[in-house]
Amino acid sequence: MFLGKTIDDELYEELEELLIQSDIGMDMTMEIVADLEKQVAKKRLKASQDVYEELKELLKSKLVYNTEENTKLDIQNGRLNIILVVGVNGVGKTTSIGKIAKKLKDEGKKVIIGAGDTFRAAAIEQIEEWGKRTGVEVVKQSHGSDPAAVVFDTVKMAKNRNFDVAILDTAGRLHNKRDLMKELEKINKIIKEKSGNDKFETLLVIDSTTGQNGLEQAKIFNEIVDLTGIILTKFDGTAKGGIIFPITNELKKPIKFIGVGEGIEDLRKFDSKEFVEAIFSD
Ligand SMILES: Nc1nc2c(ncn2[C@@H]2O[C@H](COP(=O)(O)OP(=O)(O)O)[C@@H](O)[C@H]2O)c(=O)[nH]1
Ligand SMILES: [Mg+2]
């Protein structure tokens, strides 16, 4: 699409527009385009195709935390591994948990899910449905009960029965940061005490259709919990998910999964190259 164009302000504006439309955000777009202009001058690039390739390289350089090693889930043999899943309401936490449970089960792991969203009325049935679909046991309490108590039960049961992985769902109530903080602090404390693991996965789910608000969510959750990675959902629609660039840069945390649909198999590993290519596809 950028073949045979003159390298002028118009081209840079076109590229700028493309990045902004991909949700990369104004700040990072400006930074990238400024870097691009510098590189083009330094390397004396003359063909628009080369400028475009340089832009791809710059975008990839913004995803440096997403190495093969970093984007892997930290699952170790011979211990209980915990995956705590956080994020605002509706981003795809429960769905992603279902998909991850299926993936780990297929890998031969003994998996259990804790229905930690006790706030939303239908949340428990929803996670139970995923439990049935994946053949994974779900630990629950009644609607409105203390999520920390569900976490307590889940981790205890997982320990006693030698499960490999416990995945914990949460409610994403962001309207009151103090409450959310207290709730997640309590959950964190219980996980550490009960599992005997100080380090565990805490994954933040970000909806790619949320746009710039995703960065705000990421900053808030990153203050509250010790995030280990990000799951980007709803990447199957028209959203380019460019918000990942500022998020992964700001947080310095890798993207562990990409959600590409509502189905059980619709979970992909993050691949920087593919991700950058998708920015330029229509
Ligand atoms: N198209 C699409 N829909 C998704 C994806 N992940 C979740 N959803 C849908 O988004 C809605 C909210 O998901 P849910 O898991 O309940 O979000 P939660 O409130 O964060 O637990 C549901 O209708 C899901 O089917 C995805 O990767 N692609
Ligand atoms: Mg949910």
Side-chain angles (χ1 to χ4, degrees), residues 17-34:
E17 186 63 30
L18 175 83
L19 298 185
I20 287 169
Q21 272 171 13
S22 309
D23 287 327
I24 289 177
M26 193 59 87
D27 292 351
M28 184 151 276
T29 296
M30 291 308 174
E31 189 186 313
I32 290 171
V33 174

Side-chain angles (χ1 to χ4, degrees), residues 93-94 117 120 123 126 169-170:
K93 290 182 296 299
T94 306
D117 181 358
R120 219 166 44 86
Q126 189 194 357
D169 199 5
T170 60

Side-chain angles (χ1 to χ4, degrees), residues 12 15-16 19 27-43 45 51 54-59 61-62 249:
Y12 286 118
L15 293 173
E16 218 172 86
L19 298 185
D27 292 351
M28 184 151 276
T29 296
M30 291 308 174
E31 189 186 313
I32 290 171
V33 174
D35 285 351
L36 179 65
E37 291 192 52
K38 266 186 236 152
Q39 288 303 315
V40 169
K42 196 173 142 200
K43 296 185 178 170
L45 301 179
V51 176
E54 187 65 35
L55 174 59
K56 284 188 189 170
E57 287 310 312
L58 280 170
L59 284 168
S61 76
K62 301 289 179 194
N249 262 275

Side-chain angles (χ1 to χ4, degrees), residues 88-95 99 126 233-234 236 259-262:
V88 304
N89 204 10
V91 288
K93 290 182 296 299
T94 306
T95 308
K99 295 172 186 175
Q126 189 194 357
T233 58
K234 309 188 193 178
D236 45 308
V260 292
E262 298 185 274

Side-chain angles (χ1 to χ4, degrees), residues 73 83-86 100 201-205 227-229 231 256:
L73 271 186
I83 305 173
L84 177 66
V85 181
V86 300
I100 294 170
E201 292 280 6
T202 302
L203 305 180
L204 172 68
V205 181
L227 295 174
T228 57
I231 302 174
K256 301 256 173 165

